[in-house]
Amino acid sequence: MKSSRFPAARWSLGFLILASALGPALTAQSSSFHDAPATAAGLENPFTTQQDAQVGMKQFHDKCAVCHGPKAQGTGNIPPLTKGPAQAAKPGEIFWYITKGDVANGMPSWASLTDQHRWQIITFLRNLNGPNAARPNAAAVEPPDASILNAPRPTPPFTDFRFEKPGTIHRISVVDLPPPFTTASSGNGPRLVPRPESAWPQAPAGFKVELYATGLHNPRLIRTAPNGDFFVAESETGRILVFRGITADGKPQSTGVFASGLNQPFGIAFYPAGPNPKWIYIGNTDSVVRFPYRNGDRTASAPPEHLADLPANGKGHWTRDIRFALDGNTMFVSVGSGSNVDDPDTHPEETNRATILAFNPDGSGMRVYASGIRNAVGLAINPHTGELWCSVNERDALGDNLVPDYITHVEPGGFYGWPWWYIGSHQDPRHQGKHPELKDKVIVPDVLLQPHNASLEMTFYDGKQFPDQYQDDIFASEHGSWNRAIRTGYEVIRVPMHHGGRATGEFQEFLTGFVLPDGNVWGRPVGVTVAPDGSLLVTDDGSNSIWRVSYTGK
Ligand code: HEC
């Protein structure tokens, strides 16, 4: 199944499955690159020599690397150009697309470049996977502008990486939101560097941070099995890893590969609840599958059983988290949008996306549980109230301080605004005048986070090690911004619940230090889980590590 990880193959496969499952509604969907016209596909690239590739590389570094990454590998939600649709498309289609851009979705128009430069960039991108490829490297990218690093302190409640500190509390309210386009939309993806010896994640006083494991490949979601093993989704390699135990010096006792050949796996859930699960469920980007599982299994004992197809077409937000309701009767699956703000009325591929879906545990009975949620990367069940909660990436390209990401409990049938509205009755200017009847239906989430933080996995703290005031609080990973002039996120936050079932709107910085003072980034938190001993494990796909935070009181 390895080949199906490449979106080109996945596209055609997914298209067939969807087309047959959903009938004629989707068969009209165009499969050209970003709906490029047929005339574009026919254009020949006149600049295809090695010299052209070299010029293209330089142009790429100057114009594209800030968002698509120095190696064109993609950053955050910005797609890679080394694989997937950008490699499968015809050169003329890419030329057409980059000339026009897709401003609403955060991709600028490059009509300002000469035709020659645009073609040369395409030649560079096309040669990336070839034997004599001109390889870009991170060092060649310009360091951040000092004037940005010395920019004035942001106006509270907004903040940025320069002021992140464990223990700092923030609270963003609806009245704090600026109008759209108060500032320009930035392209400021993380410039990843190796972790310098002196850099280490910082936690509040009394906590100790250790490196539990490193050398992983893109570790994403992490979840603790009932027997205490840690399951980690390595989405890019298509694998689920298992880590067992914590030695006296804070390392795993053993590690292994539970399953491989999955399609961008992310969500992991054990079922049924309680000490003796029978299955482990995995959220592939396009399906829910499950493996038989008994406590202590280190490798899957049978191939995956396919339970349900998920809406996916190789486009847009690809993570799928899975959680079960406390009574075991409902499986929740989060499915992010295919785009930044495309209108589902005119983009049928957005059908059932930007939702949290509910299923029966056998995968039957798919229904929309809540909608208008752009990208709920993390799901969690409040262990006391049984309520579903989620951690959400809101939309881009409206300016630095819009739209706040959020963490909230989820109302059954609730509508959270995307794409026409945001954070209550604020209309997205890109959809002016649309769906006035929904204006008063948009739920304001419980906790508004720093805009563009990229809030990923969340968990309730049900361990016994941290001080009592942390009981039942939420921890969430903020992967870090790209669409903000000065970075935010790149930290783990705590949402205090004050021993009740409700959040007050505050959140507190808990684990920081992943951005260096010069603005370069060495770590990006993705997953959070509570270990059996009550410590907190955090995956980091910047340094490809797992960190462990424990309370020592010192
Ligand atoms: C400000 C950030 C930014 C910059 C700078 C940028 N892009 Fe993009 N690009 C994006 C985003 C965001 C998307 C995804 C848009 C969407 O969701 O449809 C994208 C999409 C693309 C795609 C389509 C990829 C796919 O898989 O569908 C191509 C090709 C691309 N960009 C090429 C370029 C090139 C070439 C440059 C430099 C000349 C460039 N981009 C500069 C943000 C950026």
Side-chain angles (χ1 to χ4, degrees):
M1 278 297 286
K2 182 99 176 135
S3 67
S4 74
R5 289 199 57 255
F6 292 98
R10 192 166 69 233
W11 168 263
S12 44
L13 190 69
F15 183 70
L16 286 177
I17 293 168
L18 275 172
S20 54
L22 302 178
L26 274 169
T27 47
Q29 190 181 319
S30 158
S31 64
S32 73
F33 183 73
H34 293 269
D35 299 323
T39 46
L43 291 179
E44 290 271 336
N45 184 346
F47 301 99
T48 56
T49 66
Q50 276 301 320
Q51 281 91 329
D52 289 318
Q54 289 291 341
V55 178
M57 179 171 85
K58 176 146 194 339
Q59 286 296 318
F60 179 87
H61 270 142
D62 289 353
K63 309 290 184 329
C64 322
V66 284
C67 288
H68 289 281
K71 296 183 175 163
Q73 77 280 24
T75 60
N77 292 330
I78 302 179
L81 304 178
T82 50
K83 60 181 181 181
Q87 287 292 332
K90 304 231 161 54
E93 292 177 316
I94 302 182
F95 185 82
W96 171 86
Y97 177 76
I98 65 178
T99 305
K100 169 185 85 77
D102 185 350
V103 176
N105 285 320
M107 166 66 181
S109 154
W110 296 99
S112 56
L113 296 179
T114 61
D115 283 15
Q116 184 170 352
H117 279 161
R118 269 172 277 148
W119 284 121
Q120 286 168 325
I121 292 173
I122 292 163
T123 298
F124 160 68
L125 292 174
R126 272 306 137 86
N127 289 4
L128 269 178
N129 299 324
N132 303 318
R135 299 238 176 256
N137 63 68
V141 179
E142 288 296 303
D145 188 341
S147 68
I148 288 185
L149 296 175
N150 300 329
R153 205 186 171 103
T155 312
F158 302 106
T159 188
D160 62 55
F161 81 93
R162 298 170 300 165
F163 305 98
E164 284 174 2
K165 195 163 168 269
T168 311
I169 293 177
H170 302 277
R171 188 194 167 124
I172 299 175
S173 306
V174 173
V175 294
D176 297 317
L177 304 189
F181 310 121
T182 299
T183 53
S185 174
S186 289
N188 182 24
R191 287 190 320 118
L192 274 179
V193 295
R195 178 176 62 80
E197 288 262 304
S198 58
W200 204 256
Q202 303 297 308
F207 289 89
K208 179 174 79 175
V209 186
E210 292 165 294
L211 184 59
Y212 176 67
T214 192
L216 285 78
H217 187 97
N218 188 233
R220 302 283 294 186
L221 182 135
I222 182 167
R223 212 142 267 171
T224 309
N227 77 335
D229 287 350
F230 307 112
F231 281 71
V232 175
E234 257 194 6
S235 308
E236 226 172 85
T237 63
R239 303 194 299 179
I240 300 292
L241 308 182
V242 55
F243 292 79
R244 177 162 299 168
I246 302 171
T247 63
D249 57 352
K251 302 289 179 227
Q253 272 147 4
S254 71
T255 63
V257 178
F258 180 80
S260 54
L262 295 157
N263 187 5
Q264 291 182 293
F266 190 78
I268 299 173
F270 297 88
Y271 186 82
N276 292 303
K278 286 166 69 181
W279 290 287
I280 178 171
Y281 282 62
I282 304 295
N284 284 323
T285 194
D286 58 356
S287 64
V288 176
V289 299
R290 72 179 175 191
F291 295 93
Y293 172 80
R294 301 218 174 273
N295 285 331
D297 282 358
R298 287 160 191 265
T299 48
S301 56
E305 177 191 357
H306 177 276
L307 296 183
D309 287 327
L310 296 176
N313 52 11
K315 221 193 137 199
H317 301 114
W318 57 268
T319 64
R320 310 288 181 250
D321 199 2
I322 303 181
R323 294 277 192 175
F324 285 95
L326 285 189
D327 66 9
N329 292 331
T330 309
M331 171 171 73
F332 298 109
V333 181
S334 56
V335 178
S337 64
S339 64
N340 185 34
V341 290
D342 287 350
D343 187 341
D345 294 344
T346 50
H347 289 74
E349 69 275 17
E350 293 287 359
T351 306
N352 286 339
R353 296 192 68 164
T355 58
I356 297 173
L357 299 175
F359 296 81
N360 304 325
D362 65 2
S364 65
M366 182 180 108
R367 56 219 181 256
V368 174
Y369 185 75
S371 64
I373 303 182
R374 181 173 173 275
N375 188 21
V377 180
L379 296 180
I381 303 285
N382 182 314
H384 297 297
T385 65
E387 255 174 349
L388 176 69
W389 285 65
C390 64
S391 153
V392 176
N393 285 199
E394 255 293 348
R395 66 204 84 180
D396 296 316
L398 291 181
D400 278 351
N401 292 333
L402 281 184
V403 172
D405 284 358
Y406 59 84
I407 287 176
T408 193
H409 82 281
V410 183
E411 291 288 335
F415 172 64
Y416 290 78
W418 191 90
W420 307 288
W421 301 89
Y422 62 86
I423 317 291
S425 55
H426 297 88
Q427 184 134 51
D428 190 304
R430 296 159 295 199
H431 295 300
Q432 206 61 51
K434 292 187 195 166
H435 289 290
E437 79 289 358
L438 294 175
K439 177 174 183 176
D440 300 326
K441 303 212 160 55
V442 187
I443 297 172
V444 176
D446 297 337
V447 187
L448 305 185
L449 306 174
Q450 295 296 328
H452 311 296
N453 251 12
S455 196
L456 302 189
E457 192 182 355
M458 65 177 284
T459 189
F460 284 88
Y461 184 77
D462 57 0
K464 296 282 169 283
Q465 186 188 90
F466 290 7
D468 182 59
Q469 76 249 30
Y470 287 85
Q471 257 327 294
D472 307 328
D473 286 356
I474 292 165
F475 286 102
S477 282
E478 310 302 303
H479 200 218
S481 64
W482 70 267
N483 190 223
R484 207 170 186 285
I486 307 186
R487 304 185 197 300
T488 55
Y490 304 92
E491 61 179 349
V492 175
I493 60 166
R494 164 196 181 202
V495 175
M497 299 288 280
H498 305 286
H499 295 293
R502 282 279 164 267
T504 61
E506 311 152 85
F507 64 95
Q508 187 181 41
E509 291 173 330
F510 182 73
L511 192 68
T512 67
F514 296 95
V515 186
L516 298 170
D518 66 4
N520 285 341
V521 172
W522 65 263
R524 307 193 74 187
V526 179
V528 273
T529 195
V530 181
D533 72 350
S535 57
L536 193 73
L537 292 194
V538 178
T539 60
D540 155 12
D541 72 350
S543 73
N544 287 314
S545 308
I546 304 175
W547 300 93
R548 174 166 171 250
V549 186
S550 31
Y551 185 73
T552 61
K554 286 184 206 125

